[in-house]
Amino acid sequence: MWPLCLSLAQRRREGRPPQADGTPLRWSEAGGYALRPGWDAEAEQLFALLKPLLDRQGASADWTIAQLGQSLDGCIATHCGDAFYVNGPEGLTHLHRLRALCDAVIVGASTASLDNPQLTTRHVAGPNPVRVVLDPRLRVRGDARVFRDGAAPTLLVCDTACRAQAEARLGADQVIALAPGADGQLPLPALRAALAARGLRTLFVEGGGVTVSQFAQQGCLDRLHLIVAPVVIGAGRPGLQVRRADAMAQALRPPTRTFALGGDVLWDMDLRG
């Protein structure tokens, strides 16, 4: 099943139309991909979980998904920032699969600084995505692995006031400079447009909680995979933060599905539903 998923993502990247002839799939404009009979339960569950992403073909490829791993009490890390490991190994595999299926993986400056991640697909077969670091004020060290290891292209997104310094560090072709909005935040619709202009249309926002929340707050998030682990951290760092509801009738209630990931539960949230 996983090689089949990778082939569908590659078809999207190459701009080829969806096609299921001669494959174990059916395609329709209304329903996207569907499996033909003959798969086992594990393969069917993997396909069902990834189908909303795999269906992003052609004009619908402009799409953004995010993932957060959290505790039962809504924390993504302890108050000291320790997040190793909130979720189990199945969640890590899923994370790397999302990287492999998307054109680019996006992290904020805090995640890039604290975790010094590689943002590669080393736990699964599949291509490394382009790595995008949101660092308006250039807080991330220039020797961070994403800038120096050469494993995949990396783009730095900064405030226009820091453009010259960023370009001196990495080169003009690796820098996207954006003017912040009145609230001081980077305009994420403009970022999505800038990435699409580079051919990066299907995006994965990996973290942290502040970055994922900003994408949600600015209406730039189509899907969220929220993986909840059976652990209680207590007064840790919060995960998703959206507009506060004063009444339950105002609360966000997106269509959801649930999937078991080892001992964790993945909530698939359709934020456009």
Side-chain angles (χ1 to χ4, degrees):
M1 174 55 66
W2 178 238
L4 178 60
C5 294
L6 288 175
S7 70
L8 299 183
Q10 186 60 31
R11 175 177 287 274
R12 182 199 73 233
R13 292 190 186 99
E14 294 174 355
R16 292 186 288 159
Q19 185 176 353
D21 295 343
T23 74
L25 295 165
R26 296 188 301 271
W27 168 266
S28 70
E29 291 296 333
Y33 283 112
L35 281 181
R36 300 185 191 276
W39 296 88
D40 62 28
E42 185 178 2
E44 289 179 348
Q45 174 166 293
L46 177 60
F47 177 79
L49 174 57
L50 298 176
K51 172 178 160 58
L53 196 163
L54 300 174
D55 285 346
R56 300 308 106 196
Q57 302 287 328
S60 69
D62 294 301
W63 199 75
T64 304
I65 185 171
Q67 174 177 298
L68 283 175
Q70 68 172 49
S71 63
L72 288 170
D73 54 341
C75 301
I76 60 173
T78 69
H79 70 282
C80 298
D82 180 14
F84 297 101
Y85 290 97
V86 174
N87 298 112
E90 295 84 0
L92 182 61
T93 298
H94 180 65
L95 177 79
H96 284 236
R97 282 177 172 158
L98 291 181
R99 292 176 183 173
L101 294 176
C102 291
D103 301 330
V105 57
I106 301 171
V107 296
S110 293
T111 297
S113 295
L114 294 173
D115 298 346
N116 196 19
Q118 298 177 63
L119 304 179
T120 61
T121 59
R122 59 197 180 278
H123 288 284
V124 299
N128 292 325
V130 173
R131 304 174 293 190
V132 181
V133 179
L134 308 186
D135 188 12
R137 295 295 178 181
L138 304 187
R139 293 191 292 128
V140 183
R141 290 169 54 98
D143 59 356
R145 287 194 289 194
V146 291
F147 297 135
R148 300 301 178 197
D149 64 10
T154 300
L155 299 174
L156 174 63
V157 183
C158 67
D159 189 313
T160 50
C162 299
R163 180 200 296 268
Q165 183 180 352
E167 291 181 350
R169 177 191 294 182
L170 296 175
D173 60 331
Q174 289 183 254
V175 174
I176 297 175
L178 300 172
D183 58 359
Q185 303 297 329
L186 290 175
L188 299 178
L191 172 62
R192 293 213 309 181
L195 294 176
R198 293 172 178 252
L200 307 174
R201 301 174 59 194
T202 304
L203 309 176
F204 172 36
V205 185
E206 184 168 319
V210 171
T211 299
V212 172
S213 297
Q214 287 176 354
F215 269 82
Q217 292 163 11
Q218 295 190 34
C220 291
L221 199 57
D222 299 288
R223 207 90 179 187
L224 173 63
H225 284 180
L226 188 64
I227 304 178
V228 181
V231 61
V232 178
I233 294 176
R237 296 189 176 179
L240 182 67
Q241 300 180 70
V242 296
R243 175 183 55 82
R244 185 182 66 187
D246 294 324
M248 286 304 300
Q250 302 170 344
L252 180 66
R253 292 184 184 270
T256 60
R257 304 179 300 159
T258 57
F259 296 85
L261 283 186
D264 300 343
V265 176
L266 185 150
W267 289 80
D268 173 28
M269 304 166 62
D270 180 3
L271 300 183
R272 301 296 187 204

